[in-house]
Amino acid sequence: MQINFENPPKTLVVMNPVSGTLQPETKRDTIESVLQAHNVPFEIYETTGKENIRDVVRAAVQQGFGLFLATGGDGTAAAMASGLIDTQVPLAIIPTGTWNALARNLDIPLTIEQALELVFQGHRIRVIDVMQVGDNFHILNISTGVGARAMRESKREEKRRFGRLADLWTALSNLMGFQTYHFDVRIDGKLAKFRALEVMVANSKIIGLKGLQLDPEIRMDDGKLNVCRLYAGNLTEFIKLAISIILGKQRETPNVLCLEAMREVEIRCREKNLPVQGDGDLIGRLPIVVKLRPKALHIVVPMPTA
């Protein structure tokens, strides 16, 4: 299935002007130029951080918009997805964020020009699973522990100036403290108790960079979630954990344990006020319930390679 550009759909571009390091004018000029060249009717909505993007997208669907372009990072894409769930209206990713993990998962080009051209050339529409927390939806992963703490401490100004290095430095500072937490995790009604640096509910295998994979077998359209515990109690275990992830040998180490969920995951922690991140943005604190919504989002991806 592809988008029919013989009768171009009315397109809404939602652009996060502060995502990544590119200037907003550069993003806007490039998008306008490409869409105009393909005779696509479009509007551009620049986010302010104060609106509810889900509501903006839902209103646009009601107004007849038939294609949505997420120009920003993973958080922008997830917020737009919340307004497109179960509509069958396609979402195209134009990655301009810091990590762009969603684009990496789906093999979407990482430059604005190439990502835009993908929409008009050999693409397909892939239907993927999503995760629901309350009224909002997330695509990649939801986690709590040292990683979410690092996101809380990483400042926007540092991320714009240093990109991924800001997140990596803050995360490393937290990880080197080797603080573990006592988690109670209920998976499809069954309770598991363990200590961990991080507990992650994953719908995708890639963690940020494409070379870092939580579990190579995780798929975004298999109708299940993976609940993974990452553990390291000392420097030696931390090094083993890092090496196993880098080399793709997560299943060979006890420092990574992944279980499958078919319906929902509830996470609680004995420590107070532990933050939770979803697709790179802080979304609240524990406790949290994550529900699986299978085959809920239509997304533009490249054609499969031979």
Side-chain angles (χ1 to χ4, degrees):
M1 182 171 62
Q2 292 184 321
I3 301 168
N4 178 16
F5 283 105
E6 293 183 1
N7 183 21
K10 189 177 178 182
T11 299
L12 180 67
V13 180
V14 175
M15 187 179 83
N16 182 348
V18 299
S19 65
T21 57
L22 287 176
Q23 293 300 315
E25 295 80 9
T26 300
K27 301 176 190 178
R28 175 181 280 273
D29 291 347
T30 302
I31 291 168
E32 288 180 346
S33 176
V34 173
L35 293 181
Q36 288 169 356
H38 288 87
N39 298 314
V40 174
F42 69 92
E43 295 180 14
I44 296 180
Y45 180 94
E46 286 196 21
T47 63
T48 64
K50 298 179 181 179
E51 68 277 274
N52 187 317
I53 297 177
R54 176 194 64 198
D55 292 343
V56 171
V57 171
R58 285 180 178 174
V61 171
Q62 294 297 318
Q63 295 167 16
F65 283 83
L67 175 63
F68 290 78
L69 272 57
T71 306
D74 298 317
T76 302
M80 292 184 67
S82 290
L84 293 173
I85 297 302
D86 297 330
T87 66
Q88 299 186 7
V89 176
L91 174 67
I93 307 300
I94 313 300
T96 62
T98 302
W99 289 98
N100 301 313
L102 179 58
R104 296 174 190 276
N105 266 276
L106 298 172
D107 294 320
I108 293 169
L110 298 180
T111 67
I112 294 180
E113 295 85 355
Q114 291 180 331
L116 283 166
E117 286 305 315
L118 169 65
V119 178
F120 301 102
Q121 297 186 11
H123 71 267
R124 65 188 175 105
I125 305 298
R126 184 175 174 185
V127 186
I128 64 172
D129 308 328
V130 299
M131 299 170 288
Q132 181 174 2
V133 177
D135 293 329
N136 294 310
F137 298 85
H138 305 275
I139 306 171
L140 294 166
N141 58 65
I142 294 168
S143 71
T144 182
V146 294
R149 284 188 57 190
M151 287 182 183
R152 182 181 63 187
E153 295 169 12
S154 184
K155 296 181 174 58
R156 168 63 67 180
E157 293 77 11
E158 294 174 348
K159 291 183 71 172
R160 284 189 59 80
R161 184 177 180 185
F162 300 110
R164 298 177 190 143
L165 292 177
D167 282 340
L168 289 172
W169 175 255
T170 308
L172 182 61
S173 300
N174 278 274
L175 285 170
M176 292 303 289
F178 299 114
Q179 182 174 1
T180 58
Y181 303 94
H182 295 86
F183 290 100
D184 294 338
V185 181
R186 194 172 295 275
I187 303 172
D188 294 338
K190 296 182 179 180
L191 181 63
K193 295 175 177 284
F194 43 68
R195 290 181 65 89
L197 287 170
E198 187 94 358
V199 173
M200 180 174 292
V201 183
N203 188 40
S204 66
K205 62 185 179 181
I206 296 174
I207 310 173
L209 298 173
K210 193 161 188 176
L212 299 180
Q213 298 189 9
L214 185 63
D215 187 329
E217 299 302 318
I218 297 177
R219 291 179 53 83
M220 302 182 74
D221 55 5
D222 58 3
K224 61 186 177 183
L225 301 174
N226 288 70
V227 186
C228 297
R229 179 210 68 175
L230 282 71
Y231 177 81
N234 54 51
L235 180 59
T236 299
E237 289 184 349
F238 174 73
I239 293 173
K240 289 180 179 179
L241 172 63
I243 291 175
S244 68
I245 292 176
I246 292 171
L247 297 180
K249 296 183 177 181
Q250 299 88 332
R251 295 191 170 194
E252 301 177 16
T253 173
N255 297 91
V256 179
L257 171 66
C258 289
L259 305 171
E260 292 183 351
M262 308 302 292
R263 298 188 305 277
E264 69 175 38
V265 180
E266 180 182 359
I267 306 174
R268 295 181 177 271
C269 184
R270 300 176 194 176
E271 288 79 10
K272 302 293 185 181
N273 298 320
L274 204 58
V276 179
Q277 72 80 27
D279 292 342
D281 288 329
L282 293 176
I283 61 173
R285 297 180 181 275
L286 293 182
I288 192 169
V289 176
V290 181
K291 297 182 179 181
L292 173 65
R293 290 288 297 273
K295 305 291 186 182
L297 179 65
H298 288 61
I299 196 159
V300 177
V301 300
M303 296 293 288
T305 56

